[in-house]
Amino acid sequence: MAIIKIERRMKVQVVKRNGNLVEFQREKIVDAILKAMLRTEKGIDEEIAWSIAEDIEMEFEESDIIPTVESIQDRVEELLIDYGRFDVSREYILYREKRAKLREYGWKMSDLQRDIYEKKYRFNGESFDEFLERVSNGNDFIKKAIKDKKFMPAGRILANRGLQKYGKKVTYSNCYVLPKTEDNIESIFDTAKHMARTYSYGGGVGVNLSNLRPKGAKVNNAANSTTGAVSFMELYSLTTSLIGMRGRRGALMINLDISHPDIIEFIDIKNDLNKINSANISVNVTDDFMESVINNKDYELYFKTDATGEEIRKTVNAKELFKKIVYNNWKMAEPGVLYIDRINSWHLLSVDSEFEYAGVNPCAEEPLPAFGSCNLSSINLSEFVIDPFTDNAKFDFDSFKVMVRHGVIFLNEILDENMLLHPLKEQREMSKNYRQIGLGIMGLADMFIKMGIRYGSKESIDLIHRIGYIMINEALTQSALLAKEHGPFPKYNADAVLSSPFLIANAKKETLELIKKYGLRNSQLLTIPPTGSISTLVGCSNGVEPIFQISYTRKTQSLYNEDTYYTVFTPIVKEYMDLKGIYEVDKLPDYFVTTANLDYRERINVQAAWQRYIDASISSTVNVPNDFTPQEVEDLYMYAWYKGLKGITIYRDGCERSGILITDKKQQSRIDKIDELKRELDMLIVEELKENPNRCPMCGGNLIHSGGCSECQDCGYSPCSI
């Protein structure tokens, strides 16, 4: 009988929705039926499920028709009725409808998530499967990882990959750094030109003004003296707003060395809300300066003009200058601080004399050389927790290792594909020579909650060290294996790389042996960006941030024209409360910490633990309450330096610059009616943000401040992005 069955049974082919032919699989039918049965009062009957699958397979064996997925599902519905399971048939129909929606949008999405997907990343009405196919370029592993929310390319890749075939001139790189602006009029305006071109392709820009002579310095032209480095910030801010005002905003970071004689004017520039509204600013702070602060010593501001030989010196008290930085940040949320010596000393090329960082990108997670750029993607750590919300919860290190390897391979594919899509020839050359990529993480806070670990605790720090060590070694290993196949990056200097303190501290013996043998395909591997939009899209916590708050109050208007208020819970909180049947916030375990009740030093400890294994940097914001004092801000700045951070951003709730990066009104003063109305709306928004900086002026939802920007977690509105 067994022989007869094998001879009788021919393999049934099925036409998938994409037109491909696949082999019939009874297990898939059984699984779908059982899921429908679970939602009925009668429950599961495996015998019926397998009988229906067997019946369908035999029907099509004996038919000349090649069935489609839809025709098989239609037949399942009919047979469920024939077997007397009307209840299951009804649930199966609902199941099919749900699956149809998932095919269109991929995941169960909130209104906000759907809006992000539709407006930012979905191209020309493509299906979710087409979206995955475009973004992954047929890479099945990456396609599944995105679908499973384990991996997410950065926004520029999601939005732009594959569009060049439609004639689109768009880059896959989120960020670029331009050369330090040289001390001449040609370089100053070349920077503006390069900036405008980069924005037009969708990239953000970082620029360092430290080479520009200070205010009052002699010049050999019609003017007697220069207006100084700070004066040109208006030019770059204006360029940013002009290019970005009718589409995706331009994003700009301007930084200046602490030793520049114009540093006080630079620090104070953001005190005027009408100035430099289209840029973040940061101060490059040296270890020498910080030692002078600790010892309350004088510090020399110095600049030598090469063209004239003029030397400009100013002496300031280091502690007083540091307190000015602190106070302005407390008051206006800027400037940020970059610990430049740590940036320059803790990466793979730190002892390579031919390599130099020129600046950082707008969110500061990417120190880059002149004309450098980076392609980014993030691994969602929360999806690697096995048995979440139980005492048996654990991190899946084996799957994580595989994901890191594939992430490096994917980003190298992106880097090669993007090589001709950079706005400038110099950017293409730099990308080719150094091959920087940026693989990061998100969902850290959600991972801790799923594992019952308090964010910032010793247990959480220990886990970060385990994950971080694996991540850097797997990334280095895969880069070495790619170098074996394709050769190391062209500017690879074996002696310099192998001597770098970062590599020596982090690479295990086996990893070092591979690098010695083959070199590295990439000069930069790991970073942690803020991940605002993509983490919201998949419903996980941002980057390395703790969850912002347990819940927030949403306002809506009822049918009776009265304001109605209701509570909206953060996704991970809602997931836990639904699972555990909890309805009261005070019943949550103590590991549900937020930015409001977290020890701020613990917050820095988390970032410091990650920074050990990250060769680039980390974009992250320490959110502090309104009653936080300038002294407390100073203590955090000092503690961040002690802990080896490469930079820190502090945002005080309700500071005077709550609506940071609001569009400059003067630059939009058009006479047409549309812009007049827009100005009026902007003014109303500014007033609304002043009254309540944490409430979205559009929908009343919750504004989260991160990476120097703000974004509503309900409608997606941001004062600094579109």
Side-chain angles (χ1 to χ4, degrees):
M1 288 295 293
I3 296 174
I4 294 173
K5 191 172 184 179
I6 294 171
E7 289 178 346
R8 172 181 71 82
R9 183 151 296 186
M10 299 173 62
K11 289 184 179 179
V12 176
Q13 299 282 292
V14 179
V15 182
K16 293 183 69 177
R17 290 180 178 87
N18 61 9
N20 293 338
L21 285 175
V22 296
E23 192 174 325
F24 180 91
Q25 290 180 293
R26 278 179 288 169
E27 292 79 5
K28 287 190 174 183
I29 294 176
V30 172
D31 183 61
I33 294 172
L34 293 177
K35 285 179 179 177
M37 286 177 168
L38 277 171
R39 295 186 291 271
T40 66
E41 290 186 7
K42 291 183 180 180
I44 289 175
D45 189 330
E46 289 193 30
E47 185 177 345
I48 289 178
W50 282 102
S51 295
I52 289 174
E54 176 78 12
D55 290 348
I56 292 173
E57 185 175 16
M58 291 179 64
E59 285 178 15
F60 287 110
E61 280 178 3
E62 298 167 359
S63 171
D64 295 330
I65 300 172
I66 299 177
T68 64
V69 171
E70 285 79 8
S71 66
I72 290 174
Q73 290 178 342
D74 290 342
R75 192 68 184 117
V76 170
E77 290 178 18
E78 294 169 358
L79 287 170
L80 280 168
I81 294 172
D82 290 345
Y83 276 87
R85 292 301 300 265
F86 297 92
D87 56 337
V88 182
S89 180
R90 182 174 62 252
E91 292 295 335
Y92 186 79
I93 291 169
L94 294 173
Y95 169 81
R96 288 183 67 181
E97 290 176 353
K98 181 181 177 182
R99 296 294 297 178
K101 289 180 179 178
L102 285 175
R103 283 192 296 276
E104 183 178 3
Y105 291 109
W107 311 299
K108 184 180 179 181
M109 294 185 184
S110 67
D111 291 342
L112 171 58
Q113 290 170 317
R114 191 175 298 109
D115 199 51
I116 291 173
Y117 172 62
E118 292 279 1
K119 293 181 178 179
K120 288 190 173 185
Y121 306 133
R122 188 183 191 186
F123 177 70
N124 201 27
E126 64 190 355
S127 69
F128 188 72
D129 194 69
E130 289 169 337
F131 163 75
L132 291 177
E133 191 71 22
R134 174 176 63 79
V135 172
S136 67
N137 196 31
N139 183 325
D140 288 337
F141 186 94
I142 293 296
K143 184 176 179 179
K144 187 176 188 306
I146 296 173
K147 191 174 182 179
D148 293 342
K149 301 183 180 181
K150 291 184 173 182
F151 178 82
M152 189 57 58
R156 295 298 85 200
I157 300 172
L158 292 178
N160 297 337
R161 192 177 194 188
L163 301 192
Q164 64 269 26
K165 64 184 178 185
Y166 300 103
K168 299 275 188 182
K169 293 190 290 185
V170 284
T171 180
Y172 299 171
S173 295
N174 279 60
C175 45
Y176 291 85
V177 166
L178 296 179
K180 294 179 181 179
T181 305
E182 295 302 322
D183 192 34
N184 58 73
I185 200 71
E186 291 83 9
S187 178
I188 290 168
F189 281 91
D190 277 346
T191 296
K193 180 178 69 176
H194 293 153
M195 197 177 285
R197 176 55 62 194
T198 302
Y199 293 149
S200 72
Y201 277 63
V205 170
V207 62
N208 188 333
L209 303 185
S210 300
N211 285 346
L212 295 181
R213 70 189 80 180
K215 187 176 184 178
K218 297 175 183 178
V219 292
N220 295 324
N221 56 32
N224 293 320
S225 61
T226 180
T227 54
V230 174
S231 65
F232 294 103
M233 293 171 68
E234 287 284 3
L235 168 65
Y236 298 148
S237 180
L238 176 61
T239 302
T240 304
S241 61
L242 286 173
I243 300 300
M245 68 168 56
R246 293 300 183 190
R248 179 181 184 264
R249 75 176 179 97
L252 174 63
M253 169 68 81
I254 303 175
N255 54 316
L256 194 72
D257 293 346
I258 189 68
S259 60
H260 195 284
D262 284 350
I263 190 64
I264 294 175
E265 185 182 0
F266 179 83
I267 293 167
D268 284 339
I269 192 73
K270 287 280 193 149
N271 288 343
D272 188 341
L273 290 170
N274 293 314
K275 290 184 177 180
I276 320 299
N277 286 305
S278 296
N280 298 329
I281 68 168
S282 290
V283 180
N284 298 328
V285 173
T286 62
D287 290 346
D288 179 58
F289 174 77
M290 293 300 292
E291 294 288 352
S292 297
V293 172
I294 293 169
N295 296 311
N296 198 18
K297 291 183 175 180
D298 285 345
Y299 186 77
E300 185 178 63
L301 310 179
Y302 174 79
F303 190 94
K304 182 178 181 179
T305 306
D306 292 335
T308 64
E310 181 184 16
E311 293 183 282
I312 297 175
R313 301 176 187 270
K314 295 181 181 179
T315 300
V316 298
N317 180 269
K319 196 162 191 167
E320 290 179 5
L321 180 57
F322 188 62
K323 284 184 178 294
K324 174 176 274 295
I325 296 172
V326 167
Y327 181 76
N328 281 24
N329 177 274
W330 176 87
K331 181 182 178 184
M332 309 300 290
E334 291 192 79
V337 169
L338 299 171
Y339 299 111
I340 196 67
D341 288 329
R342 179 66 169 176
I343 288 174
N344 289 329
S345 65
W346 196 246
H347 61 100
L348 290 166
L349 303 186
S350 62
V351 296
D352 189 337
S353 59
E354 294 186 8
F355 180 85
E356 181 185 18
Y357 284 137
V360 298
N361 73 312
C363 292
E365 81 274 8
E366 279 293 312
L368 291 165
F371 294 112
S373 65
C374 199
N375 301 121
L376 309 175
S377 291
S378 297
I379 298 172
N380 181 5
L381 296 180
S382 68
E383 291 297 327
F384 288 85
V385 179
I386 301 170
D387 294 330
F389 307 117
T390 72
D391 294 339
N392 299 318
K394 59 183 180 180
F395 190 81
D396 188 351
F397 290 100
D398 291 336
S399 295
F400 178 70
K401 289 178 182 179
V402 176
M403 186 69 256
V404 173
R405 295 283 195 98
H406 280 276
V408 171
I409 294 170
F410 172 79
L411 283 172
N412 273 278
E413 292 172 355
I414 290 291
L415 188 149
D416 289 332
E417 193 176 315
N418 191 45
M419 202 65 75
L420 298 177
L421 300 176
H422 297 292
L424 304 171
K425 177 184 69 175
E426 296 89 343
Q427 292 165 345
R428 293 191 284 273
E429 280 299 307
M430 186 59 70
S431 181
K432 175 184 174 184
N433 286 332
Y434 285 99
R435 298 186 63 85
Q436 290 107 348
I437 62 172
L439 182 64
I441 58 99
M442 58 185 182
L444 178 70
D446 289 0
M447 178 194 74
F448 287 143
I449 290 172
K450 286 184 176 182
M451 297 180 71
I453 297 172
R454 189 182 185 280
Y455 185 108
S457 65
K458 183 181 182 303
E459 188 178 3
S460 74
I461 301 299
D462 290 343
L463 182 57
I464 289 171
H465 283 301
R466 289 187 66 190
I467 295 173
Y469 183 72
I470 287 172
M471 189 172 184
I472 185 59
N473 274 278
E474 294 300 320
L476 287 166
T477 296
Q478 189 58 60
S479 188
L481 292 174
L482 289 171
K484 175 186 178 182
E485 186 175 355
H486 304 288
F489 62 91
K491 293 289 185 179
Y492 178 73
N493 180 330
D495 290 338
V497 170
L498 292 169
S499 302
S500 73
F502 175 85
L503 185 71
I504 293 170
N506 288 314
K508 59 186 181 182
K509 183 179 178 181
E510 297 87 345
T511 306
L512 280 173
E513 290 302 315
L514 274 176
I515 298 170
K516 287 177 182 178
K517 192 171 183 179
Y518 303 117
L520 288 171
R521 187 63 173 159
N522 311 98
S523 66
Q524 191 162 286
L525 289 162
L526 303 185
T527 187
I528 302 182
T531 71
S533 292
I534 61 171
S535 59
T536 302
L537 179 63
V538 301
C540 71
S541 54
N542 295 4
V544 297
E545 306 282 0
I547 61 173
F548 190 67
Q549 55 192 35
I550 297 294
S551 65
Y552 61 94
T553 301
R554 175 76 195 279
K555 182 179 75 172
T556 188
Q557 196 173 70
S558 73
L559 294 173
Y560 302 100
N561 254 354
E562 294 179 355
D563 288 341
T564 301
Y565 297 87
Y566 60 95
T567 300
V568 179
F569 291 99
T570 297
I572 190 70
V573 177
K574 187 177 187 306
E575 185 180 355
Y576 181 88
M577 293 176 75
D578 289 347
L579 182 68
K580 301 294 185 179
I582 294 175
Y583 304 98
E584 299 174 11
V585 172
D586 59 6
K587 297 292 178 65
L588 291 171
D590 59 5
Y591 52 79
F592 276 84
V593 295
T594 69
T595 56
N597 60 16
L598 179 68
D599 183 300
Y600 302 105
R601 292 199 170 207
E602 290 182 337
R603 167 65 187 77
I604 289 173
N605 290 342
V606 166
Q607 188 169 336
W610 274 109
Q611 192 61 79
R612 173 185 171 114
Y613 309 101
I614 303 298
D615 54 324
S617 190
I618 299 170
S619 177
S620 187
T621 299
V622 180
N623 289 275
V624 299
N626 181 261
D627 61 2
F628 218 65
T629 66
Q631 183 59 55
E632 288 176 306
V633 173
E634 182 178 338
D635 292 343
L636 283 187
Y637 271 137
M638 191 64 70
Y639 188 66
W641 176 67
Y642 276 127
K643 296 297 292 185
L645 267 61
K646 291 187 177 182
I648 182 172
T649 300
I650 296 173
Y651 183 89
R652 183 175 66 88
D653 184 20
C655 66
E656 291 186 28
R657 203 175 193 75
S658 298
I660 50 178
L661 298 184
I662 294 283
T663 306
D664 187 2
K665 308 305 176 297
K666 293 180 181 179
Q667 295 167 10
Q668 290 192 336
S669 56
R670 310 288 180 90
I671 59 174
D672 61 270
K673 186 66 175 175
I674 293 175
D675 284 333
E676 182 69 27
L677 291 171
K678 188 177 187 304
R679 275 200 313 277
E680 292 177 9
L681 178 61
D682 283 343
M683 291 175 66
L684 290 171
I685 287 172
V686 171
E687 292 302 314
E688 184 79 18
L689 286 167
K690 284 181 179 178
E691 291 181 13
N692 194 336
N694 295 321
R695 191 175 71 190
C696 175
M698 292 301 179
C699 73
N702 184 47
L703 278 180
I704 289 182
H705 309 282
S706 179
C709 200
S710 310
E711 186 171 62
C712 178
Q713 295 298 285
D714 199 52
C715 74
Y717 167 79
S718 173
C720 54
S721 66
I722 295 177

